[in-house]
């Protein structure tokens, strides 16, 4: 069952432009960290899904539902890796032009 579930999640990711299963795992892990802090008004799935099971499974279920924009999740993940604040990035871009 776990393999079938993972294949469905990967299929959903591929439909949204995430090509690699390794990229899917990284994004799902990041989403699982964010699921812990998510407000109830921002939840994608029914509240029961967030109360039972692990955050990793919940994140995968969110992806599988198709209601989560994976490119947006990817963008959030990449922003979280940035060490330069968003305001400073625009200044750097102006300096290089």
């Amino acid at each position: 069952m776990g393999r079938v579930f993972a294949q469905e999640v990967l299929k959903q990711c591929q439909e949204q432009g995430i090509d690699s299963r390794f990229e899917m795992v990284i994004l799902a892990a990041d989403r699982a960290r964010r699921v812990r802090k998510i407000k109830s008004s921002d939840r994608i799935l029914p509240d029961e899904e967030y109360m039972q099971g692990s955050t990793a499974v919940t994140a995968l279920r969110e992806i599988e539902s198709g209601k989560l924009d994976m490119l947006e999740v990817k963008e959030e993940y990449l922003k979280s890796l940035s060490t330069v604040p968003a305001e400073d990035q625009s200044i750097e871009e102006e300096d290089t032009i």
Side-chain angles (χ1 to χ4, degrees):
M1 179 174 150
R3 178 176 282 245
V4 173
F5 179 65
Q7 289 174 344
E8 290 298 318
V9 173
L10 181 58
K11 181 180 173 186
Q12 186 65 37
C13 286
Q14 289 172 338
E15 289 173 2
Q16 294 190 36
I18 306 300
D19 299 322
S20 164
R21 63 182 168 180
F22 301 107
E23 186 175 8
M24 178 198 71
V25 168
I26 290 170
L27 295 177
D30 183 63
R31 181 64 186 173
R33 286 184 211 100
R34 293 176 193 277
V35 162
R36 290 185 198 138
K37 302 172 189 171
I38 199 167
K39 294 183 237 173
S40 60
S41 62
D42 295 335
R43 292 180 175 170
I44 296 170
L45 301 173
D47 288 340
E48 305 84 49
E49 294 286 338
Y50 294 91
M51 301 303 168
Q52 60 188 359
S54 70
T55 55
V57 172
T58 304
L60 290 171
R61 286 190 176 136
E62 285 184 339
I63 295 168
E64 184 186 32
S65 74
K67 297 177 184 175
L68 190 63
D69 182 5
M70 289 307 293
L71 296 178
E72 187 177 306
V73 171
K74 183 177 181 177
E75 185 67 28
E76 288 175 6
Y77 173 69
L78 293 175
K79 282 181 184 177
S80 74
L81 296 178
S82 176
T83 57
V84 179
E87 303 86 40
D88 294 342
Q89 287 179 349
S90 62
I91 294 171
E92 286 182 14
E93 290 173 3
E94 290 174 5
D95 291 342
T96 58
I97 296 178

